[in-house]
Amino acid sequence: MTFEQHGENRFIVPIGPQHPALKEPGHFEFVVDGEIVTGASVRLGYVHRGIEKGAEDRTWTQNLYLMERICGICSHIHATAFVQGVEKLAGVEAPPRARAIREIFAELERIHSHMLWLGVAAHEGGFDALFMYSWRDREVVMDMLEMLSGNRVHYSANLIGGVKYDVTPDMMDKIRDGLNYLEERLVHYLDVVNNDETFIGRTRGIGTMTREQAQLLGAVGPTARASNFAYDVRVDAPYAAYTEFPVEMVVAEEGDLHARFVVRILETMESIRVLRRIFDNMPESELVTRVPRRIPAGETISRVEAPRGELFYFISSGGGEKPERVKVRTPSLCNWGTVITLAVGHKLADMPMILAGIDPCFSCNDRLVMVKRNHHDPQLWTWADLRNYGIEYYR
Amino acid sequence: MGLEVSKPWQQVLDKIRTWARVNSPWAIHFNSGSCNGCDIEILATLTPRYDVERFGIKLQGSPRHADVLICTGPVSLQAKDRLLRIYWQMPEPKFVIAVGSCGLSGGVFHGCYNIVHGIDEVLPVDVFVPGCPPRPEGIIYGVAVLLEALKSGKRPERTMTVEVPAELGVPKVEVSQ
């Protein structure tokens, strides 16, 4: 598809929203010169469901289940961020054992998310054997999560003021066995990522981002840490039980795709180490504290480290049974800027790998974004448009 | 399709066609606004633990190669046109499997402003797989139910007219038995 824009002929390759390389809907346009990408743009919003507005219509407890379903991969961490904010507003603190169990779930979820990503990213690079192997091993974590909570994807482990499920000693033994197996496999994957020639050819020196770029573009999570930008909410502002059971930050210096693979695999190993420490020193206490039904009026923020980076919640309460406003800022959305910038100068064939390199999660992405524009574009809705639409809808 | 064959031959051809379709249905997957949970479970059915290719089911990239549309999500308003376009591009006969609670009724997102509340509001759905998200076994069972129905020559009784928006430039699709 060629068309005139800014007085020059450009060839644009559109990708999505339905595309073999994408598992979720998103639309990309790459301007190419021969095989080299000279410009990129992204259009999101196919998964915008209106959750933030919907949250204002539900009680605090109902919202737990809604927030969990913002994303199916990092579901527990969304609920944790929401619950911690609400607990802060209510002035209660979850008991030590509940906080440790939250950390157990969060770290198991990180292992599952990173292994899922390892598979998908390898699949985008045409390395399907690694995709199949890592997803086979991922089922071990899924079994653990299912044993703990009874569900494979949405665990619903959080309650306001605690957790629902206890972790018994025989469950811990089973998880320990599984973790031993996983650690062995991860050592193997690290070996593959570091030594496989085809893999290195696809990843080393591709999509290199310097520390300054990462800071400027607002990258978060493993994407930023792979560029030597040491920032991890678990370390910098510990929540849940991360003060008692700290994690070590994994940082790499190269900033390319290869570094992102290494950082994520090492992070998974770090999660396994922390899980073992929690199981050895599990605090004893009840699982839930009493929380008032009406949350006192006030505003608060809550930050957690999701598998993809920093997740931020703003919660405002009017003192009733429902929140007044919930604002979610997800890590995937912060990382899109890096993709658009890094894509320029690379071959079109590298695009799927660069896209997958930030571990994009479209369902997390599709929050409301404000775009500053001078003219009125009928395709874009302003905040006022959206608000009017919302008011008309609920009338 | 222009080719005139006698009735007994037609029956033989139909049998062969059904046999081929039942033994190797090609599926396409589209996420119309779900939370990813169902999508990773659909992907998990392809991987060694569940390995849906045992039954000849293959996930395809292009709608023009697909027999079965496996669709998740409550259908957001922006994804609705895309979903219709994918459905229109699929060759006849085509079947739709709706996966997940929000694909059935809107589920947990019921009442949110940007969704259509269910895939069956937009497309004729043949099999519903409930669950939030359904287990991979559940998704495989859903496909198996559809294949059983095809084998015995039955199709869920359902007529629905799919209207594709004029701005997409595609003709109106009549769905019949």
Side-chain angles (χ1 to χ4, degrees), chain B residues 16-55:
Chain B
I16 293 174
R17 217 175 281 151
T18 312
W19 169 82
R21 193 168 293 134
V22 169
N23 278 293
S24 183
W26 284 12
I28 183 175
H29 161 227
F30 185 67
N31 173 350
S32 72
S34 92
C35 71
N36 265 349
C38 300
D39 306 277
I40 55 174
E41 294 296 67
I42 288 171
L43 220 56
T45 60
L46 299 173
T47 52
R49 166 81 67 93
Y50 300 100
D51 196 14
V52 84
E53 280 186 33
R54 286 176 297 168
F55 310 115

Side-chain angles (χ1 to χ4, degrees), chain A residues 16-20 23-25 27 43-51 53-54 57-58 62 65-66 69-73 112 116 120 131-133 135-136 138-140 142-143 146 151-154 361-364 368 386 389-390 393-394, chain B residues 28-51 53 59-63 74-80 82 86 89 102 106-115 117 132-137:
Chain A
Q18 196 278 324
H19 190 268
K23 299 286 169 264
E24 299 166 75
H27 181 74
R43 183 174 174 211
L44 301 169
Y46 291 95
V47 199
H48 180 86
R49 291 151 290 191
I51 289 179
K53 187 76 189 166
D57 217 29
R58 288 162 167 78
Q62 285 172 332
Y65 301 94
L66 184 67
R69 278 155 183 83
I70 287 180
C71 175
I73 303 174
H112 124 71
L116 176 145
V120 173
F131 168 53
M132 290 293 174
Y133 274 123
W135 277 62
R136 183 195 69 183
R138 179 178 156 270
E139 292 292 335
V140 176
M142 301 305 274
D143 284 348
E146 192 180 356
N151 204 346
R152 282 164 56 93
V153 174
H154 296 300
C361 170
F362 293 80
S363 56
C364 276
L368 184 85
L386 201 67
Y389 179 74
Y393 185 87
Y394 287 107
Chain B
I28 183 175
H29 161 227
F30 185 67
N31 173 350
S32 72
S34 92
C35 71
N36 265 349
C38 300
D39 306 277
I40 55 174
E41 294 296 67
I42 288 171
L43 220 56
T45 60
L46 299 173
T47 52
R49 166 81 67 93
Y50 300 100
D51 196 14
E53 280 186 33
L59 210 61
Q60 261 302 312
S62 167
V75 192
S76 70
L77 294 183
Q78 197 176 341
K80 187 182 164 196
R82 296 301 178 150
I86 287 167
Q89 285 179 345
C102 55
V108 73
F109 307 115
H110 196 92
C112 287
Y113 63 80
N114 207 35
I115 60 169
H117 296 96
C132 188
R135 296 179 55 87
E137 288 96 328

